[in-house]
Structure formats: structure tokens, C-alpha cells
Amino acid sequence: MSVALVDCNNFYVSCERVFAPELRTRPVVVLSNNDGCVIARSEEAKGLGITMGVPFFQIEDLIERERVAVFSSNYALYGDMSARVMEALNYFSPETEIYSIDEAFLNLEDTRGETIEAAQEIRHKIYKWTGLPVSIGIAPNKTLAKIANRIAKKTGHGVFSLNDEAIQTEILARLPISDVWGIGYKSTKKLEALGIKTALQLKELDRRHARKLLSVVGARIVEELNGRVCLPLELVPPPKKSITCSRSFGVLVASIKELKEALDSYLIKAGEKMRRQNLTARAVTVFIATNRFSKQMQYSNAKTVELANATNSTGELRRWTGRILTEIYKEGFLYKKVGVILQGLQPERAETIRLYNELQYEKEKRLCQAIDKLSRKFRREIVCLGFPKTTKTWEMRAGRKSNFYTTCLQEILQVP
């Protein structure tokens, strides 16, 4: 078996550069929610010493001095660009596992030994079709492919193969165990205490000892470092167990009215995502929290309600979230966050006929489906279930967000 890990380079930054090619040689950073911290950097920004997670206010002088382009997170754009990349990868291999928003594993077994050439073609076509640069690591299994991809990024060639055992030994002898996929901080400490500091030393660890020390997961990692396949490609993504939608506010919120408006907005997004996957929820959780970094009084609370009947109706769920919020809300606090979690997800086809209000529920479902179609064609919240339209002073800060170039007709890039 020959596995390839395709990873988009500096994904969020690369998405922004697709629609602003003049930035391809300038340093670029992308900020987290509320324009708080740096969560993505171009290579030029890394060269300036901008570290991941640094608060934006700490580097504002450097940003201005070095003419660094700054963007607020645009997750709708990034999600759509990711979908385009993953769809393109299916052209090269029917056996594709989407691992994250910017990574996917491919089975390249059918390339008959010409894996390097196949990987170079994939890089070229992905860039041509989407404008996004990718790096590809090739190896006999997923763990080694992760290591190969890491080297592909560092060498600058974009493709690296670990199919040769001699090259594997050379690379693993220099690789710290903390850089092995699946070895976390606690496992690293355990292994270092035993004098195991490199991936090669981990590879040579007795399997039974590895299982006792690192559980079944660690034993599988050792097996994969030895070239065996213990982690097959997950061609069908596992079903979601829950859907969470929450954001920190741009300003602190005191009134329950504003909290409810924010909660309704998040519920719309969560409900739409649930219906898109043909799921229903058997429980709903609402949580609120103040700013834990503030010196003011702190308060946080959450409550879960199990539903008598599974549902994916936003209107029905809204009635429950409104009650829960009223129960957990306390006056006198400045709130920083509210959120909703839809739990106990199950396929919509598993629904049973209700003893009461079945006709009303069917009407609500059809209404939600109609609203979803309008949202996909135009934009979310263009039509809502009687939710009040407000100024949304609670919305998170995103003063540097780019346009929704691929998901909103009104913001499609215009070429003169």
C-alpha cells in the first residue's frame, strides 16, 4: 500500500491569496475570532518572527512597520475552498479520507511505483484548479505519511517519499518523538524518562511494552513506524455525535434579550448544519459564560434537556433553548459567550411517528427545508423564523474580513 497525505500550505493564508494575488510575496496573517490572536501565517510572516497564537495588539507596531496584510477569519470561504480541494482529490483516487479542513489521505497504490510523478501531478492540478499550493508526503502508512509530509514542507520541493527503508531509518533517527503523529505531551514525557527520544528508538520499542506504556494507540504507532498498516483509510467519515455553535462576543453583554438574539443566531447555523447531514437531535444544551480573563464577577452555567422526540426543526429547538436560557441566566453579570450544543444525533430516517403534533412537526420541517434552500442560494438569515432583526452589537469583531468570494453572489470577485 502507498499512502499520500495531501496538506494545503498555510491554508487560511493561501485562501486569501487566491483572490488577492498581489499578496503572494507580502507577509500575511489571519486572526482568530474577535481579531484576537494570529492563527495562520505566511512564510514571510514567519520570517518576521510572528509566532502562532500571539495576541494581535502585541504585534501591531511590527504589522504596520513591515506592511503585513491582516485578515479576520472567513470560515465560510475557507470551508468552501476546502470542499473544492477534497472534490478535486477524488479525481486522483477513489479512496480518499478527509482528515481535516486542509488535509486528506489518499491511496496511491494504483500508480504502480510511479508515486512521485503521480504526487507531482496532483500538486500541479490542485494549484491549477483551486489556486492553492499543497505539499504531499508518501509512505506505506498514515503515520509515516505524516512524517513525509512534514519533510515535504520543510524541503520546499512539495513532495517527499518515505517508501525506502534506508531513508526511513535515516529520517526517524533525527526525528524527535514529539513530532510523531499521535504522541502527545504526556506520552513524550513518559518515553523521554525511559531514554526514548527519537522516532527510531520508538520504532525499536517492544510492542508489548509500547502497549503497556502508551495503550493500544501507542502500540499501533510503533507498528506503523515499522512499516505495517494499522490505521486504514476511513473512507466513510464517522457519524457526528454532536454539533456545537458558539462565539465570543465583540462586546460584553448584560441583557437576556441580547443573549437570546445571539443564541437564536447560533441555533440557526447549528440547525442548518444538522439538516444538511440529514440528522436529528435527541438533546439540546445551552451554556453561558462571563469573561474568565476579567477581574469582574465570574459566572458560567449550562443545562441539558433530553427531548421526548428527536427533532431537526429550528422552531421546535428554539422553544427549548429559550426556556433553558431563562433558567440559567443571572442578572448583574457581563457575559462574553453563549452557545448551543445539539446532542444525541441520529439519522433522520430513524425518526418515529409522534403521538401528538405530528402534522405540526411536518409543517415545521418543510418550512426549515425551504429556508435552507433560500440560505444556500442567497445568504443565511435572509429569511428567518420570525426572529427579530437587530443591530447585533454582540457580534464578534471581524473588521478585516475578506468577501465571501465563492459563497455569496453579491460578493463574487469582479474582473474589469
Side-chain angles (χ1 to χ4, degrees):
M1 184 174 182
S2 189
V3 176
L5 174 61
V6 181
D7 187 1
C8 300
N9 300 339
N10 306 320
F11 180 59
Y12 290 176
V13 168
S14 295
C15 288
E16 300 291 355
R17 282 176 163 174
V18 169
F19 302 97
E22 68 275 10
L23 300 178
R24 288 179 180 171
T25 57
R26 274 184 62 186
V28 180
V29 297
V30 176
L31 303 178
S32 63
N33 293 340
N34 277 314
D35 292 346
C37 303
V38 173
I39 58 171
R41 307 159 294 162
S42 67
E43 295 301 321
E44 295 82 3
K46 295 175 185 177
L48 295 175
I50 298 176
T51 57
M52 188 70 92
V54 62
F56 178 61
F57 72 88
Q58 292 184 5
I59 58 171
E60 283 190 274
D61 291 341
L62 175 63
I63 293 289
E64 185 175 355
R65 184 171 65 251
E66 299 294 339
R67 296 183 62 249
V68 179
V70 182
F71 290 92
S72 303
S73 299
N74 189 340
Y75 297 117
L77 174 65
Y78 308 150
D80 187 69
M81 294 297 289
S82 172
R84 294 173 185 229
V85 172
M86 302 309 167
E87 184 179 358
L89 291 178
N90 285 325
Y91 173 83
F92 301 100
S93 174
E95 297 186 21
T96 302
E97 175 191 337
I98 300 175
Y99 179 66
S100 68
I101 192 172
D102 61 345
E103 293 176 285
F105 290 102
L106 276 68
N107 183 359
L108 294 184
E109 192 172 9
D110 292 338
T111 55
R112 296 179 178 84
E114 300 175 355
T115 52
I116 297 293
E117 292 78 3
Q120 292 289 4
E121 181 186 3
I122 291 173
R123 287 190 74 238
H124 173 73
K125 291 289 179 64
I126 294 298
Y127 186 77
K128 181 178 180 180
W129 293 343
T130 68
L132 297 173
V134 301
S135 296
I136 303 177
I138 306 166
N141 56 51
K142 292 163 73 172
T143 300
L144 291 173
K146 269 280 190 178
I147 296 172
N149 185 273
R150 192 184 191 94
I151 299 168
K153 285 180 178 292
K154 289 185 177 180
T155 59
H157 299 301
V159 174
F160 189 83
S161 174
L162 267 182
N163 279 329
D164 186 274
E165 290 189 17
I167 296 177
Q168 285 180 27
T169 301
E170 180 184 348
I171 296 297
L172 296 181
R174 301 197 305 262
L175 186 73
I177 54 171
S178 57
D179 289 343
V180 176
W181 183 43
I183 301 297
Y185 176 78
K186 291 183 179 179
S187 297
T188 298
K189 291 300 181 183
K190 287 181 183 179
L191 293 168
E192 288 180 343
L194 296 174
I196 301 172
K197 298 183 178 180
T198 68
L200 183 61
Q201 291 173 312
L202 180 60
K203 174 183 176 180
E204 296 168 348
L205 185 65
D206 180 76
R207 313 297 186 275
R208 289 171 295 180
H209 192 186
R211 179 165 184 160
K212 184 177 180 180
L213 189 67
L214 303 173
S215 76
V216 175
V217 174
R220 288 173 179 168
I221 292 172
V222 172
E223 291 287 347
E224 292 229 331
L225 289 175
N226 280 276
R228 303 178 184 88
V229 178
C230 296
L231 301 170
L233 295 181
E234 295 182 4
L235 305 182
V236 178
K240 281 186 173 290
K241 296 182 179 179
S242 65
I243 293 176
T244 302
C245 191
S246 174
R247 296 286 187 275
S248 295
F249 301 142
V251 296
L252 296 177
V253 170
S255 73
I256 190 172
K257 179 183 176 183
E258 289 180 292
L259 284 174
K260 192 172 187 306
E261 289 173 359
L263 183 61
D264 286 344
S265 177
Y266 303 152
L267 178 60
I268 289 174
K269 297 175 184 177
E272 182 180 332
K273 185 181 295 185
M274 178 172 58
R275 289 188 294 273
R276 190 163 59 241
Q277 300 174 53
N278 298 315
L279 298 172
T280 58
R282 292 203 63 91
V284 58
T285 298
V286 174
F287 59 90
I288 54 177
T290 55
N291 185 359
R292 60 192 179 95
F293 298 107
S294 172
K295 295 181 180 179
Q296 297 175 336
M297 291 188 301
Q298 298 292 311
Y299 173 71
S300 61
N301 203 350
K303 183 177 180 180
T304 300
V305 170
E306 294 190 11
L307 308 177
N309 298 287
T311 180
N312 60 14
S313 164
T314 299
E316 187 171 4
L317 288 167
R318 185 189 180 219
R319 291 192 285 273
W320 285 109
T321 57
R323 293 179 194 176
I324 297 172
L325 180 63
T326 302
E327 291 180 20
I328 64 176
Y329 170 78
K330 279 189 178 181
E331 292 186 0
F333 293 93
L334 295 175
Y335 293 94
K336 181 67 175 177
K337 197 171 191 178
V338 68
V340 60
I341 307 174
L342 304 180
Q343 298 169 286
L345 300 183
Q346 63 181 36
E348 189 174 10
R349 63 178 180 274
E351 282 185 302
T352 57
I353 297 176
R354 300 185 175 199
L355 294 177
Y356 305 100
N357 298 325
E358 175 69 19
L359 182 59
Q360 177 64 29
Y361 177 56
E362 289 298 325
K363 288 181 178 179
E364 290 189 358
K365 283 177 61 177
R366 290 196 295 272
L367 178 60
C368 288
Q369 291 167 0
I371 292 175
D372 290 345
K373 289 181 180 179
L374 290 171
S375 297
R376 288 193 294 270
K377 187 172 182 180
F378 299 99
R379 68 178 186 275
R380 184 181 284 120
E381 297 182 14
I382 191 169
V383 177
C384 297
L385 294 171
F387 296 177
K389 185 176 181 181
T390 68
T391 57
K392 294 187 178 180
T393 55
W394 44 266
E395 281 193 324
M396 65 179 182
R397 293 188 297 273
R400 303 168 184 265
K401 183 181 289 186
S402 56
N403 288 343
F404 297 103
Y405 294 110
T406 63
T407 58
C408 181
L409 288 173
Q410 289 77 18
E411 297 185 10
I412 288 179
L413 187 66
Q414 297 183 9
V415 180

